[in-house]
Amino acid sequence: MTAQGATGATERFRAARDFLLQHREDYGAAYEGFAWPRSDRFNWALEWFDVIAEGNDRTALHLVEEDGSETKVSFAEMSARSNRVANWLRAQGVRPGDRIIVMLGNQVELWETVLAAMKLRAVVIPATPLLGPADLRDRVDRGRARHVVVRAEDAAKFDDVPGEYTRIAVGGDGVGWLGYEHAARESEVFEPEGVTLADDTLMLYFTSGTTARPKLVEHTHTSYPVGHLSTMYWIGLKPGDVHLNISSPGWAKHAWSNLFAPWNAEATVFIHNYTRFDPARLMDEMERNGVTSFCAPPTVWRMLIQADLSQLKTPPREVVAAGEPLNPEVIESVRRAWGVTIRDGFGQTETAVQVSNSPGQRLKEGSM
């Protein structure tokens, strides 16, 4: 569905990925033999995702809503849909290097837009829908945003955000807003313009700003797509896995484990959307949908062990935690109920995973 197809960069990436899969539980061999795939030019959306998506009817993205409705999108469908979005965004004036604020929830349009932007060599500024007008003014200003893609219900937040930027709303046209849904009319054949340099900017994140004003963090077409081979290895993902990661859109961990790591492994991204955390419902969805790997922050793990973990009859093969070292009591509670051991991982907005316990490593519980 694109003119790109597999390239030398694709094959180098695949060889590195396959090496990690081969030594998934042998950290020593992986450490000794792994070499980062180096390419001067690389576009992960065109040269990896579209390549593995060609003719691929396996599920790439599976969303289950609180009301029980669900959406499944295959790899091939996601490739075609992102091509349509890329063609439409180009028609709206999106050019290489343009910065796009993407403020969407866990909805199909989020993944479509990020892939489309990558194909256009535009720069994504991920933003959580929780942001208010003051934060958005800062992001438009310091991020030098030329376009915004937001849910229609959040469009009013931009009424007091000055700037010359294209306004795109998912879920309906509004005054001064373009309706994202028009992208569905575009061709699913996408012709890339120019080449993507491996060091071109791909994403700009604003940090959480816990102790000072949020900083801007740059990631390239290498640092995240290729860098998250390490995240794939930490989680222990394999082709055909169904991976559930609990993380909010707009934060770096969402891209880590809901985009790059699972699709590097050719696994399914599974999402259960909810407004209030319900451990019993979560485990029911995990059982029903065959979740094989699960990542959650320590706060979620601590809430989970307050429930009856035995209701999950088929626990995930891989379970990991991120954010802070998980206390040994929680790890032991999960091991007793599920027979699997939670493995910690740590990284920053500025990096991929930095420190982790990968499958097969000896663990010292409560530390990394």
Side-chain angles (χ1 to χ4, degrees):
M1 280 173 278
T2 77
Q4 188 87 28
T7 63
T10 307
E11 297 315 315
R12 285 187 288 275
F13 184 87
R14 187 188 300 278
R17 192 282 305 258
D18 289 352
F19 180 85
L20 292 178
L21 293 178
Q22 180 184 353
H23 300 288
R24 201 178 63 85
E25 296 186 23
D26 187 347
Y27 177 77
Y31 179 80
E32 287 297 322
F34 180 74
W36 290 103
R38 305 288 183 183
S39 300
D40 294 332
R41 302 175 178 184
F42 185 55
N43 187 302
W44 183 83
L46 295 169
E47 295 172 81
W48 178 252
F49 186 83
D50 280 355
V51 172
I52 64 172
E54 187 172 359
N56 187 347
D57 292 330
R58 288 192 295 108
T59 302
L61 178 65
H62 184 184
L63 306 176
V64 175
E65 306 301 332
E66 201 161 30
D67 64 4
S69 62
E70 54 189 316
T71 304
K72 288 185 178 181
V73 182
S74 72
F75 281 92
E77 289 169 336
M78 183 61 74
S79 175
R81 291 167 75 139
S82 62
N83 282 349
R84 291 191 186 98
V85 174
N87 285 326
W88 185 75
L89 289 175
R90 180 187 281 164
Q92 310 316 310
V94 176
R95 297 291 177 258
D98 281 4
R99 297 175 176 189
I100 309 172
I101 290 177
V102 178
M103 193 170 84
L104 299 173
N106 276 320
Q107 54 197 103
V108 176
E109 294 86 358
L110 172 63
W111 283 264
E112 292 174 354
T113 301
V114 172
L115 287 173
M118 209 177 302
K119 293 176 180 186
L120 291 169
R121 295 186 289 130
V123 178
V124 174
I125 301 177
T128 170
L130 298 174
L131 294 176
D135 291 314
L136 293 172
R137 281 195 295 272
D138 181 47
R139 279 155 172 73
V140 169
D141 180 30
R142 282 200 290 144
R144 302 200 304 275
R146 299 197 60 182
H147 318 274
V148 300
V149 180
V150 306
R151 302 182 302 188
E153 58 262 40
D154 292 317
K157 294 180 180 180
F158 287 84
D159 290 349
D160 297 321
V161 180
E164 295 295 324
Y165 52 88
T166 311
R167 299 170 182 237
I168 299 168
V170 176
D173 295 280
V175 177
W177 289 82
L178 301 170
Y180 180 98
E181 287 67 30
H182 297 304
R185 304 171 186 168
E186 296 289 333
S187 170
E188 65 179 48
V189 177
F190 175 76
E191 296 287 343
E193 294 178 3
V195 298
T196 305
L197 300 180
D199 291 332
D200 283 348
T201 304
L202 168 62
M203 287 181 165
L204 285 173
Y205 273 97
F206 280 78
T207 61
S208 57
T210 306
T211 58
R213 195 180 184 198
K215 299 185 297 291
L216 264 174
V217 172
E218 177 189 31
H219 280 287
T220 69
H221 284 265
T222 296
S223 66
Y224 254 22
V226 180
H228 283 302
L229 286 171
S230 62
T231 307
M232 178 198 81
Y233 187 78
W234 158 49
I235 298 171
L237 290 166
K238 299 192 294 187
D241 273 345
V242 177
H243 180 58
L244 168 59
N245 168 58
I246 295 182
S247 179
S248 298
W251 301 111
K253 185 59 169 62
H254 192 274
W256 285 31
S257 296
N258 283 339
L259 176 63
F260 293 114
W263 285 352
N264 280 348
E266 300 178 64
T268 296
V269 175
F270 176 76
I271 301 287
H272 169 46
N273 283 320
Y274 54 82
T275 52
R276 183 179 177 86
F277 183 71
D278 180 345
R281 171 71 187 278
L282 179 68
M283 287 187 281
D284 180 61
E285 294 296 348
M286 291 170 70
E287 181 74 39
R288 189 172 67 87
N289 294 288
V291 169
T292 58
S293 58
F294 177 52
C295 178
T299 50
V300 169
W301 282 112
R302 291 177 188 126
M303 287 189 287
L304 261 177
I305 65 168
Q306 304 304 314
D308 178 11
L309 293 177
S310 68
Q311 79 173 79
L312 182 59
K313 304 303 181 187
T314 313
R317 183 191 71 246
E318 311 292 348
V319 289
V320 293
E324 63 185 79
L326 192 59
N327 45 309
E329 296 80 11
V330 177
I331 296 173
E332 182 57 32
S333 294
V334 173
R335 184 192 289 120
R336 282 198 307 268
W338 290 357
V340 292
T341 301
I342 302 171
R343 296 178 286 101
D344 281 316
F346 175 80
Q348 297 171 284
T349 307
E350 293 85 349
T351 68
V353 69
Q354 291 172 290
V355 183
S356 69
N357 294 314
S358 56
Q361 282 187 282
R362 287 183 60 189
L363 298 185
K364 182 176 181 181
E365 291 167 14
S367 66
M368 286 183 282

